[in-house]
Amino acid sequence: MTISRRTILGGGLAAPATLRLAALGGAATGGALLSSPARAAQDAHRLTLGATELIVLTDGGLSLPASTLAGNVEEAERSAFLAAGGFDTAMRDSALNITLIRSGDALVLVDTGAGMNFFESAGLLADSFDVAGLDREAVTHVVLTHAHPDHVWGIIDDFDEAERFPNAGYLIGAREWDFWMDPDFLVNNPEELHSFGLGAQRNLGAVAEKVTRVGADHSVVPGVTMIATPGHTPGHMSVLVEDGGEQVLVLGDALTHPTISFERPDWQPTSDQVPEQAIATRRALLDRAATDRLMLIGYHLPWPGVGRVEAKDAAWRYVPAG
Ligand SMILES: [Zn+2]
């Protein structure tokens, strides 16, 4: 057999279910992860904000054990809450909603999807561009909210190592870049993060010369600003889009579940790397979004992940748009 890079990568991830799952903090359920439902590319969801167009594209979806939703809560409490909301109590489906912002001559992509090596049911972003009649070569900026696999493993096409967005410059929080690109990453981080780290370094490293490391409140183009929302990862950022007196916040993974993130903001998803900081960020975002009637786009919220927040009892509630 010919040993190609793809074979090696495939082999390297052949224990993928447990390896990837361990990094997400779930119990090893083997094949359950890989049998997540296949999904097809579908047409984009479009909204306008003044002269700015926002286009939500799907990269497919993930299915993870429900235990990943809240590592600090007893199973019985978690299951009762999920069941009351009509959710499956064993597995949770998670969308992959990727936002493209057309502002003047700029076409700004927020995150690149999972590529072909993370989940069988992910990696559809390139197809979604085609279905929507969009050209990947027209993307001028790629903003990375953080460097988890489902957000950056789509930077390069592993088959031929080509960049998927060859004409784009990349922006990422300086803190996020420094965390994942640490030359001593494998020494400084626990083993369950190693596959994530290697994947981040492979993808980010491929475009390193095109990357700008930025601080909080960085203006990508007029009306598109990266804001610090740390906790899910050390340097996680979200993207605020403003035009015509309205605002949309592209969340990344600051809020990931349509009931738990809003109604139980203190429950800690196992993928939050700095849990206490993630809780503080979540609460601040929810308060701001409810007060300012912000429109949100959530990467993992049910397709297309567009909605608003209302105060409810001592917490909040997600109100999907339309
Ligand atoms: Zn994610």
PDB file of all heavy atoms in Angstrom, residues 62 94-96 146 148 150-151 232 252-253 256 271 299-300, ligand 1:
ATOM      1  N   LEU A  62     -22.106  17.607  14.271  1.00  0.00           N
ATOM      2  CA  LEU A  62     -21.419  16.662  15.161  1.00  0.00           C
ATOM      3  C   LEU A  62     -22.445  16.028  16.087  1.00  0.00           C
ATOM      4  O   LEU A  62     -23.466  16.623  16.399  1.00  0.00           O
ATOM      5  CB  LEU A  62     -20.396  17.377  16.052  1.00  0.00           C
ATOM      6  CG  LEU A  62     -19.371  18.291  15.419  1.00  0.00           C
ATOM      7  CD1 LEU A  62     -18.520  18.938  16.517  1.00  0.00           C
ATOM      8  CD2 LEU A  62     -18.494  17.509  14.460  1.00  0.00           C
ATOM      9  N   SER A  94     -25.034  18.643  17.361  1.00  0.00           N
ATOM     10  CA  SER A  94     -24.512  19.996  17.379  1.00  0.00           C
ATOM     11  C   SER A  94     -24.327  20.452  15.940  1.00  0.00           C
ATOM     12  O   SER A  94     -23.686  19.771  15.143  1.00  0.00           O
ATOM     13  CB  SER A  94     -23.172  19.967  18.121  1.00  0.00           C
ATOM     14  OG  SER A  94     -22.706  21.247  18.351  1.00  0.00           O
ATOM     15  N   ALA A  95     -24.913  21.595  15.605  1.00  0.00           N
ATOM     16  CA  ALA A  95     -24.757  22.123  14.251  1.00  0.00           C
ATOM     17  C   ALA A  95     -23.364  22.729  14.078  1.00  0.00           C
ATOM     18  O   ALA A  95     -22.633  22.928  15.060  1.00  0.00           O
ATOM     19  CB  ALA A  95     -25.824  23.187  13.992  1.00  0.00           C
ATOM     20  N   LEU A  96     -23.001  22.988  12.842  1.00  0.00           N
ATOM     21  CA  LEU A  96     -21.756  23.703  12.528  1.00  0.00           C
ATOM     22  C   LEU A  96     -22.134  24.836  11.577  1.00  0.00           C
ATOM     23  O   LEU A  96     -22.183  24.648  10.360  1.00  0.00           O
ATOM     24  CB  LEU A  96     -20.732  22.765  11.888  1.00  0.00           C
ATOM     25  CG  LEU A  96     -20.261  21.587  12.752  1.00  0.00           C
ATOM     26  CD1 LEU A  96     -19.454  20.588  11.920  1.00  0.00           C
ATOM     27  CD2 LEU A  96     -19.412  22.081  13.925  1.00  0.00           C
ATOM     28  N   HIS A 146     -11.360  30.587  17.546  1.00  0.00           N
ATOM     29  CA  HIS A 146     -10.450  29.803  18.374  1.00  0.00           C
ATOM     30  C   HIS A 146      -9.957  28.626  17.541  1.00  0.00           C
ATOM     31  O   HIS A 146     -10.394  28.440  16.410  1.00  0.00           O
ATOM     32  CB  HIS A 146     -11.123  29.346  19.669  1.00  0.00           C
ATOM     33  CG  HIS A 146     -12.264  28.387  19.503  1.00  0.00           C
ATOM     34  ND1 HIS A 146     -13.435  28.712  18.858  1.00  0.00           N
ATOM     35  CD2 HIS A 146     -12.430  27.099  19.915  1.00  0.00           C
ATOM     36  CE1 HIS A 146     -14.263  27.686  18.890  1.00  0.00           C
ATOM     37  NE2 HIS A 146     -13.674  26.688  19.518  1.00  0.00           N
ATOM     38  N   HIS A 148      -9.977  25.178  18.016  1.00  0.00           N
ATOM     39  CA  HIS A 148     -10.447  23.794  18.135  1.00  0.00           C
ATOM     40  C   HIS A 148     -10.657  23.197  16.735  1.00  0.00           C
ATOM     41  O   HIS A 148     -10.837  23.925  15.756  1.00  0.00           O
ATOM     42  CB  HIS A 148     -11.754  23.757  18.933  1.00  0.00           C
ATOM     43  CG  HIS A 148     -11.542  23.754  20.420  1.00  0.00           C
ATOM     44  ND1 HIS A 148     -12.560  23.943  21.331  1.00  0.00           N
ATOM     45  CD2 HIS A 148     -10.411  23.566  21.159  1.00  0.00           C
ATOM     46  CE1 HIS A 148     -12.072  23.872  22.571  1.00  0.00           C
ATOM     47  NE2 HIS A 148     -10.782  23.653  22.493  1.00  0.00           N
ATOM     48  N   ASP A 150     -13.023  21.755  15.007  1.00  0.00           N
ATOM     49  CA  ASP A 150     -14.184  22.067  14.167  1.00  0.00           C
ATOM     50  C   ASP A 150     -14.175  23.510  13.669  1.00  0.00           C
ATOM     51  O   ASP A 150     -15.055  23.911  12.909  1.00  0.00           O
ATOM     52  CB  ASP A 150     -15.500  21.754  14.907  1.00  0.00           C
ATOM     53  CG  ASP A 150     -15.548  22.328  16.313  1.00  0.00           C
ATOM     54  OD1 ASP A 150     -14.506  22.345  16.994  1.00  0.00           O
ATOM     55  OD2 ASP A 150     -16.640  22.761  16.728  1.00  0.00           O
ATOM     56  N   HIS A 151     -13.157  24.280  14.056  1.00  0.00           N
ATOM     57  CA  HIS A 151     -13.061  25.678  13.621  1.00  0.00           C
ATOM     58  C   HIS A 151     -11.845  25.945  12.735  1.00  0.00           C
ATOM     59  O   HIS A 151     -11.890  26.865  11.919  1.00  0.00           O
ATOM     60  CB  HIS A 151     -13.034  26.601  14.843  1.00  0.00           C
ATOM     61  CG  HIS A 151     -14.278  26.479  15.681  1.00  0.00           C
ATOM     62  ND1 HIS A 151     -15.299  27.394  15.648  1.00  0.00           N
ATOM     63  CD2 HIS A 151     -14.692  25.477  16.522  1.00  0.00           C
ATOM     64  CE1 HIS A 151     -16.288  26.990  16.451  1.00  0.00           C
ATOM     65  NE2 HIS A 151     -15.937  25.828  16.997  1.00  0.00           N
ATOM     66  N   HIS A 232     -13.829  29.501  26.776  1.00  0.00           N
ATOM     67  CA  HIS A 232     -13.966  28.248  26.026  1.00  0.00           C
ATOM     68  C   HIS A 232     -12.568  27.760  25.647  1.00  0.00           C
ATOM     69  O   HIS A 232     -12.238  26.589  25.786  1.00  0.00           O
ATOM     70  CB  HIS A 232     -14.847  28.453  24.801  1.00  0.00           C
ATOM     71  CG  HIS A 232     -15.003  27.229  23.967  1.00  0.00           C
ATOM     72  ND1 HIS A 232     -15.662  26.104  24.416  1.00  0.00           N
ATOM     73  CD2 HIS A 232     -14.542  26.910  22.732  1.00  0.00           C
ATOM     74  CE1 HIS A 232     -15.611  25.158  23.487  1.00  0.00           C
ATOM     75  NE2 HIS A 232     -14.940  25.617  22.457  1.00  0.00           N
ATOM     76  N   GLY A 252     -19.011  32.325  17.944  1.00  0.00           N
ATOM     77  CA  GLY A 252     -18.073  31.208  18.121  1.00  0.00           C
ATOM     78  C   GLY A 252     -18.687  30.233  19.101  1.00  0.00           C
ATOM     79  O   GLY A 252     -19.886  29.934  19.039  1.00  0.00           O
ATOM     80  N   ASP A 253     -17.890  29.765  20.076  1.00  0.00           N
ATOM     81  CA  ASP A 253     -18.376  28.761  21.026  1.00  0.00           C
ATOM     82  C   ASP A 253     -18.621  29.328  22.423  1.00  0.00           C
ATOM     83  O   ASP A 253     -18.577  28.602  23.410  1.00  0.00           O
ATOM     84  CB  ASP A 253     -17.393  27.595  21.111  1.00  0.00           C
ATOM     85  CG  ASP A 253     -17.487  26.685  19.902  1.00  0.00           C
ATOM     86  OD1 ASP A 253     -18.231  27.025  18.954  1.00  0.00           O
ATOM     87  OD2 ASP A 253     -16.813  25.635  19.891  1.00  0.00           O
ATOM     88  N   THR A 256     -23.230  27.539  23.271  1.00  0.00           N
ATOM     89  CA  THR A 256     -23.226  26.409  22.335  1.00  0.00           C
ATOM     90  C   THR A 256     -24.500  25.585  22.309  1.00  0.00           C
ATOM     91  O   THR A 256     -24.720  24.826  21.375  1.00  0.00           O
ATOM     92  CB  THR A 256     -22.060  25.454  22.668  1.00  0.00           C
ATOM     93  OG1 THR A 256     -22.128  25.127  24.055  1.00  0.00           O
ATOM     94  CG2 THR A 256     -20.720  26.090  22.335  1.00  0.00           C
ATOM     95  N   SER A 271     -15.812  20.895  26.997  1.00  0.00           N
ATOM     96  CA  SER A 271     -14.866  21.467  26.037  1.00  0.00           C
ATOM     97  C   SER A 271     -14.412  22.870  26.432  1.00  0.00           C
ATOM     98  O   SER A 271     -13.524  23.424  25.788  1.00  0.00           O
ATOM     99  CB  SER A 271     -15.486  21.490  24.633  1.00  0.00           C
ATOM    100  OG  SER A 271     -16.697  22.216  24.649  1.00  0.00           O
ATOM    101  N   TYR A 299     -22.401  29.170  16.503  1.00  0.00           N
ATOM    102  CA  TYR A 299     -21.766  28.140  15.652  1.00  0.00           C
ATOM    103  C   TYR A 299     -22.420  26.777  15.849  1.00  0.00           C
ATOM    104  O   TYR A 299     -22.587  26.021  14.910  1.00  0.00           O
ATOM    105  CB  TYR A 299     -20.292  28.080  16.038  1.00  0.00           C
ATOM    106  CG  TYR A 299     -19.374  27.414  15.044  1.00  0.00           C
ATOM    107  CD1 TYR A 299     -18.827  28.143  13.990  1.00  0.00           C
ATOM    108  CD2 TYR A 299     -18.996  26.075  15.176  1.00  0.00           C
ATOM    109  CE1 TYR A 299     -17.952  27.566  13.092  1.00  0.00           C
ATOM    110  CE2 TYR A 299     -18.118  25.486  14.281  1.00  0.00           C
ATOM    111  CZ  TYR A 299     -17.593  26.226  13.240  1.00  0.00           C
ATOM    112  OH  TYR A 299     -16.716  25.637  12.349  1.00  0.00           O
ATOM    113  N   HIS A 300     -22.761  26.473  17.093  1.00  0.00           N
ATOM    114  CA  HIS A 300     -23.296  25.138  17.390  1.00  0.00           C
ATOM    115  C   HIS A 300     -24.796  25.132  17.712  1.00  0.00           C
ATOM    116  O   HIS A 300     -25.346  24.083  18.037  1.00  0.00           O
ATOM    117  CB  HIS A 300     -22.532  24.513  18.559  1.00  0.00           C
ATOM    118  CG  HIS A 300     -21.096  24.211  18.236  1.00  0.00           C
ATOM    119  ND1 HIS A 300     -20.733  23.275  17.293  1.00  0.00           N
ATOM    120  CD2 HIS A 300     -19.939  24.723  18.719  1.00  0.00           C
ATOM    121  CE1 HIS A 300     -19.402  23.220  17.214  1.00  0.00           C
ATOM    122  NE2 HIS A 300     -18.900  24.092  18.073  1.00  0.00           N
TER     123      HIS A 300
HETATM  124 ZN    ZN B   1     -16.882  24.381  18.232  1.00  0.00          ZN
END
